[in-house]
Amino acid sequence: MEGNVLKCVKDQNGNHVIQKAIERVSPENIRFIIDAFYGQIYVLATHPYGCRVIQRIFEHCSEKEIVRMKQELLTFY
């Protein structure tokens, strides 16, 4: 899955796999997923499936990660 995270997020079925990983796997073990989002937050947040994945990040990841993503998102407004 590593190297194909963004492709999965934008896929009708693949996004569910990423969401479940975020919900069930410790953040240390899915670092590659979180790292793939940086520089792509706005694109993902405005994508029909990507926005759901971003929601899972906000629900399950550390405050540090959430703040970093929010800051990136706010640079587009």
Side-chain angles (χ1 to χ4, degrees), residues 8 11-18 49:
C8 287
D11 181 80
Q12 184 177 9
N13 298 307
N15 81 86
H16 294 288
V17 174
I18 302 296
Y49 308 133

Side-chain angles (χ1 to χ4, degrees), residues 29-65:
N29 294 326
I30 58 165
R31 168 73 28 217
F32 69 97
I33 293 175
I34 296 167
D35 290 344
F37 294 162
Y38 292 116
Q40 300 293 319
I41 299 297
Y42 181 79
V43 172
L44 294 174
T46 57
H47 188 273
Y49 308 133
C51 66
R52 304 294 186 203
V53 175
I54 297 296
Q55 287 177 327
R56 296 307 151 258
I57 291 286
F58 288 166
E59 293 170 357
H60 297 282
C61 288
S62 72
E63 187 66 28
K64 179 183 171 186
E65 299 296 339

Side-chain angles (χ1 to χ4, degrees), residues 6-30:
L6 295 178
K7 183 178 178 182
C8 287
V9 169
K10 293 177 182 179
D11 181 80
Q12 184 177 9
N13 298 307
N15 81 86
H16 294 288
V17 174
I18 302 296
Q19 288 184 58
K20 286 298 177 188
I22 293 167
E23 290 174 4
R24 309 266 185 211
V25 180
S26 67
E28 303 84 40
N29 294 326
I30 58 165

